[in-house]
Amino acid sequence: MPGVPDATYGFIEPASIGQGGHVVIHGQVSRVAQPANDYAIITGLPGELELLVRRGMPAPLANPGDVFDSFTRNQLRICPDGTVAFQAILNGIAGPEGVWVGKPGAFAPSFIEGHQAPGFPEGAVFEGNFDWACNGAGGVVALRAKVEGGGAGV
């Protein structure tokens, strides 16, 4: 498995294929030293797949110590240029949820539950129960979410 030495696929979900030929695959990793890190998302062109993210990896731009715990299987998107958007839960089943966008080695959150909502007053944060979409051109995420606090009133 790319990026996970001596590991193999335990099972994989059906791959998504973008218009540019890039694929994104969510699956379980077998034969790993740490079973808690047994789920991953890989992406790339056929024959050039790379690890995007793995369970237990630090979550970029989240709170210090936050790690990816699980990935929502049916919430993977791939754009023609290979940009991937994925939904994940941090720090266990009750942890905050969010969506990250990017490519291997260079992805960042679009939004994380409980974090500041851009364009809103200080203290206005994203709440759970959100819907999102990725445009086909470059991975920009459109979001419909509840925002609370900071006098947001929405």
Side-chain angles (χ1 to χ4, degrees), residues 84-107:
V84 175
F86 65 93
Q87 186 170 332
I89 297 174
L90 304 177
N91 309 326
I93 197 159
E97 199 165 356
V99 172
W100 282 259
V101 178
K103 295 181 179 183
F107 62 91

Side-chain angles (χ1 to χ4, degrees), residues 130-153:
F130 46 80
D131 293 317
W132 63 276
C134 177
N135 77 13
V140 175
V141 172
L143 170 67
R144 181 179 62 103
K146 184 176 181 181
V147 176
E148 288 196 350

Side-chain angles (χ1 to χ4, degrees), residues 51-72:
L51 178 69
L52 176 67
V53 62
R54 184 173 169 199
R55 185 178 187 188
M57 284 177 64
L61 303 176
N63 293 323
D66 281 352
V67 296
F68 291 109
D69 183 71
S70 62
F71 309 104
T72 307

Side-chain angles (χ1 to χ4, degrees), residues 11 26-29 36-41 53-55 71 73:
F11 72 86
H26 171 262
Q28 183 177 26
V29 182
N37 297 340
D38 59 352
Y39 286 91
I41 298 173
V53 62
R54 184 173 169 199
R55 185 178 187 188
F71 309 104
R73 291 183 209 164

